[in-house]
Amino acid sequence: MKNILIRYGELTLKGNNRNAFISKLIQNIKYKLKQYKDIIVYKKDHNSLVLEIKDSDKLEEICHILQNIFGIYSLSIVEIVEKDVDLILKRCLEVASKHIGSFKVEVERKDKGFQVSSQDLKTKIAVSILKNNQNITVDVHNPQLKITVIIKHNGAFIFTSRIKASKGLPVGVSGKGLSLLSGGIDSPVASYLTLKRGMQVDFLHFMTPPHTSKEALDKVFQLTSKIEKYNQSNFSLYICDFSIILKELMHIKEESYRITIMRRIFIRIANKLCELIKANAIITGESLGQVASQTIESINVINEVSKLPILRPVLTCDKEEIIEISKKIDTYNISILPFDDVCSMYVPKNPVTKPKSFIAQKQEENLLLDELIDYTITNLIKTYIWKDGELCEKENK
Ligand code: ATP
Ligand code: MG
């Protein structure tokens, strides 16, 4: 029988919230490993979690899923034996028996009642390995094989590697946010970074059919599906048909303000939706100075219409840094597909870079906004919920 030792991430630092954090993490792990529930036994101890895996063939798949769960610092595949010196020696010898090259032994004695000190045990193990394997030498700085033994209250844990995981905080401990997801590179990365800090993310996408294509919408489905492995497994994607409002926005006289006002309406709709779905923040992929509509003046004029905080996790990132993350999370190749999410007819030639709030307000006064926003929210948002590996449309909101 194999075991996976899961080390908790940053949550070990969180004082009184610790138990809540651990419970959330375990809940998230159980959810993501639902399909393996019959072959896993969960064993929780003070600083770590052990999954006993009854079918070793599934070990690799399970580790792969665990690596993407926020709140996990690292994993090790461990063997757990009784706290008996001879037994520990025997297992360590077996582990080192076929190895050729350098090695190192590390012993940590968490159970101070164990009769042998960590130093003595380490020496015993190293000496017996050297005696039994002629092809092996000690290298304490850069060993090719590192055998670690941890003496815990519930057994001696033996392992040879630490697999890095995603760190961060368990999704859900920081509440829920609504991510404005375009088909571009930045907003999926912003969603991922928000998830990393423990905030569950639902998505809102604006489309303007027939000007925007089915392929553009399909990108959004693909992007949310890619991010699912980091998200809560029952997230929602809201698709808002923005065409009626877009038509109204064509009446804006000050053409350079069209994008600013469109963004303000995105945010107004997002605020109302957040209220309905009990989300406490809005997330966008805006990056300071990246394009004309992402200046600090523009951000201020957009923030003005929001009751909720707008989180912009990639605000200070260069495009190159954002692309690097999007490649890591495998959204890049979807994002660069050439289908526009915003009606290109609508985009002004010279969008204002330093919009003024009073001008935006003045332009909006001439439009029938409140009614159209309410109508759109009630009638033109479709909800999709992630269920059993795919997004399913929800009948009634
Ligand atoms: P992205 O790469 O995320 O598309 P971008 O650099 O292209 O960002 P903009 O098109 O100016 O920037 O959009 C800024 C942000 O506004 C996006 O990151 C996203 O959060 C939001 N946004 C833009 N278009 C849409 C849309 N059609 N639906 C939902 N949100 C959108
Ligand atoms: Mg975009």
Side-chain angles (χ1 to χ4, degrees), residues 59-315:
L59 210 60
E60 209 171 307
E61 289 165 42
I62 292 173
C63 283
H64 199 70
I65 296 174
L66 289 169
Q67 272 182 282
N68 291 323
I69 298 179
F70 288 125
I72 299 179
Y73 189 82
S74 67
L75 314 167
S76 288
I77 295 171
V78 300
E79 193 153 344
I80 304 175
V81 300
E82 260 177 59
K83 287 184 288 182
D84 174 275
V85 175
D86 291 338
L87 215 60
I88 296 170
L89 280 181
K90 183 167 168 275
R91 270 312 292 143
C92 289
L93 278 181
E94 279 164 12
V95 170
S97 66
K98 292 198 182 70
H99 181 66
I100 299 173
S102 60
F103 84 109
K104 175 187 180 176
V105 178
E106 253 178 18
V107 174
E108 222 181 292
R109 195 175 55 139
K110 293 246 157 89
D111 173 8
K112 299 294 177 205
F114 187 65
Q115 70 275 25
V116 185
S117 75
S118 45
Q119 190 55 43
D120 285 353
L121 184 59
K122 189 163 105 175
T123 312
K124 264 185 208 283
I125 297 170
V127 167
S128 65
I129 288 176
L130 284 169
K131 267 193 202 155
N132 283 276
N133 184 343
Q134 309 305 320
N135 301 314
I136 206 163
T137 52
V138 173
D139 181 348
V140 291
H141 300 297
N142 223 346
Q144 289 161 323
L145 173 71
K146 186 161 128 190
I147 302 175
T148 306
V149 179
I150 305 180
I151 308 293
K152 294 196 179 211
H153 291 274
N154 51 349
F157 288 46
I158 303 171
F159 56 89
T160 55
S161 73
R162 285 170 195 257
I163 305 163
K164 278 190 191 158
S166 297
K167 307 191 178 86
L169 303 176
V171 171
V173 297
S174 308
K176 178 158 87 171
L178 181 65
S179 181
L180 301 198
L181 191 74
S182 66
I185 295 171
D186 307 323
S187 44
V189 171
S191 310
Y192 164 82
L193 292 173
T194 307
L195 286 161
K196 185 166 188 186
R197 298 310 299 165
M199 182 173 275
Q200 180 195 337
V201 171
D202 280 351
F203 303 93
L204 172 60
H205 175 72
F206 295 99
M207 59 167 191
T208 52
H211 306 294
T212 53
S213 63
K214 193 190 153 297
E215 285 86 349
L217 183 61
D218 197 48
K219 272 173 81 173
V220 172
F221 278 80
Q222 287 186 49
L223 288 170
T224 48
S225 306
K226 270 279 179 229
I227 303 170
E228 184 273 337
K229 56 178 170 289
Y230 311 104
N231 205 349
Q232 210 85 301
S233 295
N234 57 351
F235 73 86
S236 298
L237 163 64
Y238 301 94
I239 303 287
C240 177
D241 182 344
F242 196 69
S243 6
I244 301 183
I245 298 178
L246 192 76
K247 221 184 240 170
E248 183 67 5
L249 296 188
M250 294 297 196
H251 299 136
I252 295 171
K253 294 212 177 64
E254 197 71 60
E255 217 185 287
S256 64
Y257 269 71
R258 281 185 179 175
I259 293 281
T260 309
I261 293 171
M262 184 178 81
R263 297 245 181 278
R264 280 162 64 101
I265 299 173
F266 281 1
I267 295 298
R268 286 190 179 104
I269 293 177
N271 267 271
K272 292 201 173 190
L273 185 58
C274 281
E275 210 173 292
L276 295 172
I277 65 170
K278 300 192 170 46
N280 2 61
I282 293 164
I283 300 124
T284 78
E286 287 161 298
S287 164
L288 194 57
Q290 196 188 80
V291 288
S293 58
Q294 295 176 14
T295 59
I296 191 64
E297 291 82 0
S298 172
I299 286 173
N300 281 333
V301 174
I302 292 167
N303 280 359
E304 207 178 65
V305 299
S306 191
K307 265 197 261 167
L308 289 172
I310 302 175
L311 310 181
R312 298 176 170 93
V314 298
L315 186 84

Side-chain angles (χ1 to χ4, degrees), residues 34 225 228 233 385-392:
K34 219 168 40 184
S225 306
E228 184 273 337
S233 295
I385 296 178
W386 184 265
K387 211 172 154 226
D388 300 328
E390 58 179 340
L391 281 158
C392 307

